[in-house]
Amino acid sequence: MSTSDIDQLVHLLSKLPGLGARSARRATLYLIKHRESLLTPLGNAMATAAANVRTCSVCGNLDTSDPCHICRTETRDKTTICVVEDVSDLWALERAGAFSGYYHVLGGTLSALDGVGPEDLSIEPLLNRVSDTGVEEVILALNATVDGQTTAHYLNDRLSDLGVRVSHLAHGVPVGGELDYLDDGTLATALRSRRSIDQS
Amino acid sequence: MSTSDIDQLVHLLSKLPGLGARSARRATLYLIKHRESLLTPLGNAMATAAANVRTCSVCGNLDTSDPCHICRTETRDKTTICVVEDVSDLWALERAGAFSGYYHVLGGTLSALDGVGPEDLSIEPLLNRVSDTGVEEVILALNATVDGQTTAHYLNDRLSDLGVRVSHLAHGVPVGGELDYLDDGTLATALRSRRSIDQS
Ligand SMILES: [Zn+2]
Ligand SMILES: [Zn+2]
């Protein structure tokens, strides 16, 4: 069929989410046929990303600097932190352009089924950030899944003790939906109409 | 959102067939989260492929050697050449494992609409191979599209003059279908039940 260099490329590409064996073969042929315009630049971009991208020690974002370019921006709203499950959610909110505060990436949600407890997520660092800085509001921008909402309740309990206002995204997030799949307008609406969580 | 290194990776990945902006972002995050196991190896595989893969000067296959590993295999059936439109078709036939002769990649089909004439395809090299070597049969394994069949008729005319037997794939190729989408069993059946083109 093909020799090891090509097979290796097909094999590795087929590991990407959404690419099966067939689409990995198509992508490989396409890359080889566009060697100068795509294959070489993409190989270089991957090497560069592998060398340079790191996790922000403040918020958990992925960037080529630590702290990330958002945490290094002094002009954002220091009184508000938006908590997200994953970096992809942070990127989605930044694309929507509706939030000017800072972020905190949890790295997942609590999950009894998957054995994910509070100590497995970036929760203590979040509580420390809220305690140590002048944060007045924490927006819980978690997915509208069972685990996401369980996590929101847990965080609301912990954050309430610190006397900070806790809110969550309101209108626009479909039940069972994931943030990363929403259009920018819906995300912006949901963010604007956020409401406080009842401090029961 | 993200900085230029990450943006560049998303941008280049989104150019791959079948990957839009969203899936390119997903793939980028996945790659960064699997840096050692996937991002670095894939970057290396792309650099290696860009440096090493070339077009076989005999058959048109893509390989890291010229002639390719198929053309260099002495034990295959030297009396039969299978003509395909694209390297992906050659790979599909090799995966099916039903053909033991040699290949010839045309590099496309004749197309009045797209202005592709005989001189734009690897047709003269095919006729030279057939004239110069002991080829007894040429199998036209072209897609069952209008352009594919037009090309088959043209090649049949040219090859008949050389006194070689010309056949095409028979049962199993759906009308309008493309070889690369067929399962291996169907391809193997179509190859076994190939039939001679009427030498009208
Ligand atoms: Zn940061
Ligand atoms: Zn070859």
Side-chain angles (χ1 to χ4, degrees):
Chain A
M1 180 190 331
S2 49
T3 53
S4 54
D5 285 352
I6 297 175
D7 285 342
Q8 175 71 352
L9 190 48
V10 172
H11 170 69
L12 291 170
L13 279 173
S14 72
K15 292 185 174 182
L16 287 178
L19 280 187
R22 178 183 309 281
S23 42
R25 286 194 300 267
R26 296 235 146 188
T28 296
L29 266 180
Y30 189 87
L31 282 165
I32 292 172
K33 289 176 180 176
H34 298 80
R35 193 183 307 230
E36 298 305 321
S37 63
L38 193 53
L39 177 56
T40 299
L42 190 50
N44 291 340
M46 288 186 177
T48 302
N52 296 344
V53 173
R54 56 211 67 204
T55 302
C56 175
S57 58
V58 178
C59 75
N61 189 16
L62 291 167
D63 202 342
T64 48
S65 65
D66 178 17
C68 73
H69 72 288
I70 293 174
C71 289
R72 279 187 293 115
T73 303
E74 289 288 334
T75 52
R76 298 181 74 113
D77 175 9
K78 293 187 172 55
T79 65
T80 315
I81 287 182
C82 183
V83 176
V84 294
E85 294 177 20
D86 192 83
V87 174
S88 61
D89 301 322
L90 187 164
W91 290 0
L93 284 160
E94 280 294 285
R95 281 198 304 278
F99 179 67
S100 60
Y102 295 87
Y103 292 95
H104 193 88
V105 179
L106 285 182
T109 50
L110 298 174
S111 170
L113 214 62
D114 297 332
V116 180
E119 68 285 357
D120 299 314
L121 304 176
S122 178
I123 290 179
E124 287 306 321
L126 169 65
L127 299 174
N128 291 337
R129 282 180 79 184
V130 171
S131 304
D132 297 349
T133 57
V135 174
E136 295 169 9
E137 178 180 5
V138 174
I139 304 172
L140 302 178
L142 305 181
N143 290 327
T145 56
V146 172
D147 284 342
Q149 296 314 299
T150 303
T151 308
H153 277 104
Y154 176 84
L155 289 175
N156 183 44
D157 286 347
R158 299 291 305 270
L159 289 161
S160 302
D161 296 343
L162 302 176
V164 74
R165 187 149 52 96
V166 183
S167 61
H168 60 76
L169 299 186
H171 289 297
V173 183
V175 174
E178 300 201 331
L179 290 194
D180 194 28
Y181 280 95
L182 292 183
D183 64 286
D184 296 352
T186 308
L187 263 177
T189 305
L191 194 68
R192 272 195 304 275
S193 57
R194 68 186 182 272
R195 56 193 183 80
S196 291
I197 293 182
D198 292 344
Q199 312 273 334
S200 58
Chain B
M1 182 193 329
S2 49
T3 53
S4 55
D5 285 353
I6 296 175
D7 284 342
Q8 175 71 353
L9 190 47
V10 172
H11 170 68
L12 291 171
L13 279 172
S14 72
K15 292 185 173 182
L16 287 178
L19 280 188
R22 180 185 306 284
S23 41
R25 286 195 299 267
R26 297 235 145 190
T28 296
L29 267 179
Y30 190 86
L31 282 164
I32 292 173
K33 289 176 181 177
H34 298 81
R35 192 183 309 230
E36 298 306 319
S37 64
L38 192 53
L39 177 56
T40 298
L42 191 50
N44 290 339
M46 288 185 178
T48 302
N52 296 344
V53 174
R54 56 211 69 202
T55 302
C56 176
S57 57
V58 178
C59 76
N61 189 17
L62 291 166
D63 202 342
T64 47
S65 65
D66 178 18
C68 72
H69 72 286
I70 294 174
C71 290
R72 281 187 292 114
T73 304
E74 289 289 332
T75 52
R76 298 181 74 114
D77 175 11
K78 292 186 174 54
T79 66
T80 315
I81 287 183
C82 182
V83 176
V84 294
E85 294 177 20
D86 191 84
V87 173
S88 60
D89 302 322
L90 187 162
W91 291 0
L93 284 159
E94 280 294 284
R95 282 198 304 278
F99 179 66
S100 60
Y102 296 88
Y103 292 96
H104 194 87
V105 179
L106 285 182
T109 51
L110 298 175
S111 170
L113 214 62
D114 296 332
V116 180
E119 68 285 358
D120 299 314
L121 304 176
S122 179
I123 291 179
E124 287 306 319
L126 169 65
L127 299 174
N128 291 338
R129 281 179 80 183
V130 171
S131 302
D132 297 348
T133 57
V135 174
E136 296 169 8
E137 179 181 4
V138 174
I139 305 172
L140 302 178
L142 304 182
N143 291 326
T145 57
V146 171
D147 283 342
Q149 296 312 298
T150 301
T151 308
H153 277 103
Y154 177 85
L155 289 176
N156 184 44
D157 285 348
R158 300 291 305 270
L159 289 162
S160 301
D161 296 341
L162 302 176
V164 74
R165 185 149 53 96
V166 183
S167 61
H168 61 75
L169 299 186
H171 289 297
V173 183
V175 173
E178 300 199 332
L179 291 193
D180 194 27
Y181 279 94
L182 293 183
D183 64 285
D184 295 353
T186 307
L187 264 177
T189 305
L191 195 68
R192 273 194 305 273
S193 56
R194 67 186 182 272
R195 56 193 182 80
S196 291
I197 294 182
D198 293 342
Q199 312 272 334
S200 57

